[in-house]
Amino acid sequence: MITRLIALSVLLILPLPIVIVVLSSFTSAGYLSFPIHGVSLRWYGEFLGSADWLRVLGVSAVLALIGAFVSTAASFGAAWAVVRHRMRFGATYETILLTPLIFPHAAIGVIMIVTLSSLGWLGTFTGLVLVHCILTIPYAYRPIVAALRKSDPALEEAAASLGARPWRTFWTVSLPAARPGLVTSFLFSFIISFDEVTVTLFVVGPHVMTLPVQVFSEVLESASPVIAAVSATLVLFTTAIVFVLDRFIGLQFFVERD
Amino acid sequence: MPKPLRTALLLAPSAILMGVFLIGLVRLVSSSLMIDGQFDITHYVDILNRPDYVQMLGRTLRTAALTTLFSLLIGFPTAYYVARYKGNRNFLLLLIIFPWLVSIVVRSYGWMVILGPRGLINSFITWTGLVERPLRLMYNDFGVILGLVHVLCPFMIIAILSVLMQIPRSLEEASMSLGGRPAYSFRTVLLPLSLPGILTGITLVYLMATGAIVTPLLLGGLRNTMLGTEIFQEVMHFFNYPKAAALATVLLVTALVVVIPIQIFERWLARRLREGESH
């Protein structure tokens, strides 16, 4: 009974602040309030009419695409070596790949400042890509390694014994078998990167800014409802990704243990 | 191409990324221990000698511990309810995973809209006439902990849920039908078997709470700083990188002192559970 009461309140409250932000973005007032005073799309107009906001949105989207692609590819290589080549110290290597998860974000932020400034990449797009790849690898690795462990190496052996060359076996047998894992990794990394703010705010610069970091600094300085409109757009991206994940892989994936 | 070379090529991209990270970690710690190329622990002595820093450390630990505790207290029942739900479980999963994947900056901002002076709660209670002036619901510990619990408890729920889904319902029923009271079967069956998930959840929530910046800054303001927000200010406002590096090292230590023993315990527990299965 009490379990049910707690569970239902938690399940109700978890999406609540997000719903409130989306609703408050439709206010016609010049200040933020809830319930809203009057309905309008003026703050969406301000967001989409601003070259600065659109540029930042573009940076975030391209960054997340490149980061997700690199992370997924790097994780695929690592997972292939661990699972298919049965490399020595594979379990240790897996633990190393997960290390970014067991460090507090504020500390990772300073680590990234130290790293990027020694490479001369602080405040550059290249630097952001590097940081986001490191942050998303733990998320990208797990779905791929799970998919590879599930697929049967005997199929590849069969293809090879029927005379398929290694590359052909790879393209026609191995890759399709790993596809669900690759898609999950890519989408998962994309959304982690697209939403990341705590570490990113240390490494952005005057010339490159991401959408969540821009929202963060605007919230600190002003209370303009345009922030709600931008936030609602971030929510829209997440909704799209969750929808695709649900359709193609199923949300069950997130609560499975390998 | 020989196999070892192929393995090395496959590992190269991820190894480079992790190498960059680990080298950065070493450089962070060493830069906090150096002044003008000489070994020097002045930064640490300074931190421990300043009462406001010691107070801030205490606040960080207290906030992180309370956030972890509340996340566990609400996370376990929620995970249990979802794991045993007989209807459309996918919808319940959606209610957990969707908010989890929305940026923390948006979720913290949402709480500002709810708790703020013109927000949902204050609009309601001033409308009812219960109070004349809006209540101060944020820029205090209440706001920060509420925000952190909301942002981090999905990690707890997901970690516990993934373990609970593997525990067959029949095991609980067996213990009950043998005459065990619910509390007894919880203590002897459910709790020990779900402990690995609980430990993973505690680890993740504690880590993210100690190193949080966005939620404490938006809901707590600039005055009552925590380790994460203090590091943010040293870097962004004072450009004091060595100080920030020393604070970040302190943060690493406070996190790892808690996390590494839990991880060791978790491994030991996993081994024992596996041995139990084979008997």
Side-chain angles (χ1 to χ4, degrees), chain B residues 189-203:
Chain B
V189 179
L190 206 55
L191 193 62
L193 286 177
S194 54
L195 207 50
I198 294 176
L199 293 176
T200 307
I202 289 177
T203 308

Side-chain angles (χ1 to χ4, degrees), chain B:
Chain B
M1 215 192 306
K3 196 172 167 188
L5 187 64
R6 272 187 294 150
T7 310
L9 278 177
L10 286 169
L11 289 177
S14 57
I16 291 171
L17 290 172
M18 288 304 120
V20 167
F21 178 68
L22 295 175
I23 292 169
L25 173 67
V26 173
R27 292 180 54 134
L28 167 86
V29 177
S30 64
S31 73
S32 72
L33 287 168
M34 295 275 205
I35 291 175
D36 299 329
Q38 295 280 307
F39 177 80
D40 199 324
I41 57 165
T42 310
H43 294 303
Y44 292 96
V45 177
D46 281 353
I47 290 172
L48 291 175
N49 275 337
R50 274 180 59 176
D52 56 329
Y53 275 180
V54 175
Q55 211 187 350
M56 171 216 42
L57 264 173
R59 191 183 303 118
T60 308
L61 290 175
R62 196 180 62 231
T63 308
L66 286 174
T67 302
T68 313
L69 179 70
F70 290 136
S71 299
L72 180 61
L73 288 180
I74 64 168
F76 192 91
T78 309
Y80 183 78
Y81 180 78
V82 174
R84 294 287 177 260
Y85 190 69
K86 291 208 187 71
N88 184 0
R89 191 192 287 140
N90 212 50
F91 178 67
L92 300 190
L93 286 178
L94 187 71
L95 290 179
I96 298 164
I97 288 165
F98 170 67
W100 178 54
L101 291 178
V102 168
S103 184
I104 53 166
V105 71
V106 174
R107 285 185 279 161
S108 307
Y109 177 61
W111 280 109
M112 294 175 76
V113 182
I114 294 174
L115 302 175
R118 278 197 274 223
L120 180 65
I121 294 176
N122 275 319
S123 300
F124 179 72
I125 55 174
T126 43
W127 174 75
T128 58
L130 280 173
V131 288
E132 277 176 22
R133 262 184 297 160
L135 294 178
R136 197 182 158 84
L137 299 168
M138 54 181 216
Y139 299 126
N140 53 24
D141 285 352
F142 169 77
V144 173
I145 292 175
L146 178 68
L148 281 175
V149 170
H150 179 263
V151 163
L152 300 178
C153 83
F155 285 99
M156 185 71 86
I157 299 175
I158 290 168
I160 297 176
L161 190 53
S162 64
V163 186
L164 286 182
M165 303 268 268
Q166 286 186 319
I167 303 175
R169 201 191 164 79
S170 54
L171 218 56
E172 260 175 275
E173 282 163 359
S175 138
M176 300 261 234
S177 70
L178 289 172
R181 288 167 173 280
Y184 179 78
S185 90
F186 171 77
R187 196 157 44 82
T188 54
V189 179
L190 206 55
L191 193 62
L193 286 177
S194 54
L195 207 50
I198 294 176
L199 293 176
T200 307
I202 289 177
T203 308
L204 287 173
V205 172
Y206 174 79
L207 271 172
M208 306 226 174
T210 46
I213 298 176
V214 174
T215 311
L217 218 50
L218 294 188
L219 295 168
L222 287 166
R223 264 188 322 123
N224 293 337
T225 54
M226 286 175 45
L227 255 174
T229 52
E230 191 69 42
I231 291 171
F232 174 74
Q233 299 209 63
E234 289 295 341
V235 170
M236 296 295 156
H237 299 148
F238 308 118
F239 305 105
N240 190 344
Y241 292 107
K243 174 65 85 46
L247 285 169
T249 310
V250 171
L251 172 60
L252 276 179
V253 173
T254 48
L256 294 182
V257 161
V258 173
V259 166
I260 288 176
I262 294 181
Q263 290 288 316
I264 292 172
F265 180 57
E266 196 186 328
R267 297 239 160 133
W268 174 81
L269 196 75
R271 213 171 329 123
R272 282 223 29 201
L273 286 174
R274 234 177 294 135
E275 281 165 10
E277 272 167 23
S278 60
H279 280 310

Side-chain angles (χ1 to χ4, degrees), chain A residues 143-182:
Chain A
I144 295 183
V145 86
L148 282 185
R149 288 211 168 106
K150 255 187 241 164
S151 80
D152 189 357
L155 284 177
E156 286 154 27
E157 284 157 24
S161 72
L162 288 173
R165 291 183 173 279
W167 274 110
R168 197 174 148 83
T169 310
F170 179 78
W171 281 111
T172 55
V173 180
S174 319
L175 207 57
R179 194 185 294 140
L182 289 171

